[in-house]
Amino acid sequence: MMRKDAGERREISLDGGKTSGNRTMPQAAKAEVVQGEVGRPRSSEEAPVMGVERRGSSCVRAKEASGERGDGSRDLPTPTEPEKETRVQKLQQTLYRQAKKNPKWKAWSLYGELQCLQILEEAMRRVISNRGGAGVDGLSTQDLIEEPDLQDRLIQRIKQELKERAYRPSPIRRVYIPKADGKQRPLGIPTVKDRVIQTAMMIIIEPIFEADFHEESYAYRPKRKAQEAVQSIKEGILSGRHEIVDADLSGYFDSIPHRELMKLVAKRVNDKMILKLIKAWLRARIVEEDPKSGKKTSYPNDQGTPQGGVISPLLANLYLDGLDKIVNSGKKFKAKMVRYADDFVILCYKANAEPLMESLKQWLETKGLKLNEEKTRIIEYGKEPLDFLGFRIQQRKSPKTGRNYPHCEPSPKSCRKIREAIREETSWDKQWRKEKEVFETVNRRVGGWINYFHYSNSTEVFSKIQWQMRERMRRWLWQRHKKTYAQYGARYSDEELHGRHGLIRFPMNAPWKNQNA
């Protein structure tokens, strides 16, 4: 076990005091339970804990260790072959259970697993399925799809470079994505080769850190959904926490200090080559291209983990995991923090929001982070709504019981976006497109929106947007066929739109977790 750094700084507690180094909330961390999939109760029993056996340079084999039972692994992908565990799954199970069993355990000798052919093949499959643009070398996932032999050659090249310890990350291509407020979000695109190796790394180390993460962290985690975070907020409101700190971090992904982040990684990983690779990815140079002149500039990355990197979300969650645990275990404020990446809310009892906000600012300052003052605010539930992850939560009175309850539905901003998407696909300059193509495109965009927002009290909003969608599609057909009459006649009735043209229908039934209303 490595000794603690003698010069380690003391952390500012959000509970009004100070705590030294890694001693924050030891009891809460020990008692932490990782939740299961949405809508599925998590069993208290699981398969026997498995030990590790190594043969040559192949993946670790897992075998049953008699007499022990532990905490179930909930982060494993769905098996490709029923009733048959792959070596990848066995490795993840072993690492997760060992980390969950012993909070002080450190993983070592993982670099050999990174070279495992089955892990690299699984990583390649995931990278291709996620698509994504090309990096600085110009190679895209589409090239790999069109040339299957190229996949095998790339895997063999990666395996050889890792074996000879000759692999070096390529620079990251930076592009900017426009945001709704007019600003731009920087996005870093690694090469396909780097993404494959980062994905292989994620397969290996994610179960280790997943065993530690707090249950109120929901972003970028296996089998977790945004709706779970919203449900947790509703439960916090029902518990009487009606003062809400709606917080947002300013440039979080680009502000994480590398040194502090690597210290957190090293608490669970004791393989020098693994640590060296992660550090190299963090410090990879950034390449930007001027859209007008085409001139490229390169500069070093001194802090932050670029958005777009496969391993960046895991590292971003790791850096804020301490905040999740400190706030949710605090005895002074008794607050509840629900976090989704760098967006989070803290639900407090009356008169606790402002002092907690000050403690939060101090804690973030010690970590090299700061709040976005423009987006961070204190909300009093019952007087103003809370918009979070595209949903709006506000107090309403139930027509059945007459009691107040937290009503949750798609926010006006989310509704405006889907209406704009429908208008975009049915604009006047697209009347040349085939009817089938337009309806399929609209169905695809609207279907994704429905899948996300079919939660809680969405029926009223769904009914309104479905009416607007029908009117828009009816008008597009009327203009396309240059009709001068019967725009709302039987030819373009609701039955015609949904029957002949196959327009998607909004579900009008109560979705899951539609409670307290």
Side-chain angles (χ1 to χ4, degrees), residues 334-351:
K334 296 181 180 180
K336 180 177 183 178
M337 174 175 167
V338 179
R339 182 172 64 85
Y340 197 91
D342 55 340
D343 294 326
F344 58 91
V345 297
I346 303 177
L347 298 100
C348 311
Y349 292 109
K350 189 175 181 180

Side-chain angles (χ1 to χ4, degrees), residues 417-479:
K417 285 184 177 180
I418 192 59
R419 288 196 298 266
E420 290 174 354
I422 296 173
R423 283 197 295 268
E424 179 184 344
E425 298 299 334
T426 57
S427 59
W428 66 269
D429 59 339
K430 293 184 180 180
Q431 293 179 8
W432 56 270
R433 297 171 63 189
K434 295 181 179 180
E435 294 178 8
K436 181 178 180 181
E437 179 184 352
V438 171
F439 275 84
E440 287 178 350
T441 305
V442 170
N443 286 348
R444 184 167 56 251
R445 299 188 70 169
V446 174
W449 193 87
I450 291 174
N451 290 337
Y452 181 82
F453 287 105
H454 188 213
Y455 163 80
S456 196
N457 315 103
S458 60
T459 305
E460 181 180 347
V461 171
F462 276 17
S463 178
K464 182 178 180 180
I465 295 181
Q466 178 169 257
W467 180 85
Q468 294 170 336
M469 178 185 67
R470 287 170 176 169
E471 293 298 294
R472 185 70 188 184
M473 301 306 297
R474 188 177 285 119
R475 179 175 298 181
W476 182 83
L477 286 170
W478 185 70
Q479 292 175 343

Side-chain angles (χ1 to χ4, degrees), residues 81 104 109 114 225 470:
E81 298 181 23
K104 295 183 179 180
S109 191
L114 196 63
K225 297 182 179 181
R470 287 170 176 169

Side-chain angles (χ1 to χ4, degrees), residues 77 79-81 84-93 118:
T80 55
E81 298 181 23
K84 181 179 179 181
E85 291 181 324
T86 65
R87 286 184 175 182
V88 174
Q89 292 171 312
K90 289 181 180 180
L91 171 63
Q92 289 185 311
Q93 288 176 343
Q118 188 172 359

Side-chain angles (χ1 to χ4, degrees), residues 22 44 188 271 331 413 480-481 500:
N22 302 331
S44 60
D271 189 313
K331 295 181 179 179
K413 182 178 180 181
R480 185 177 189 276
H481 293 288
R500 177 185 171 188

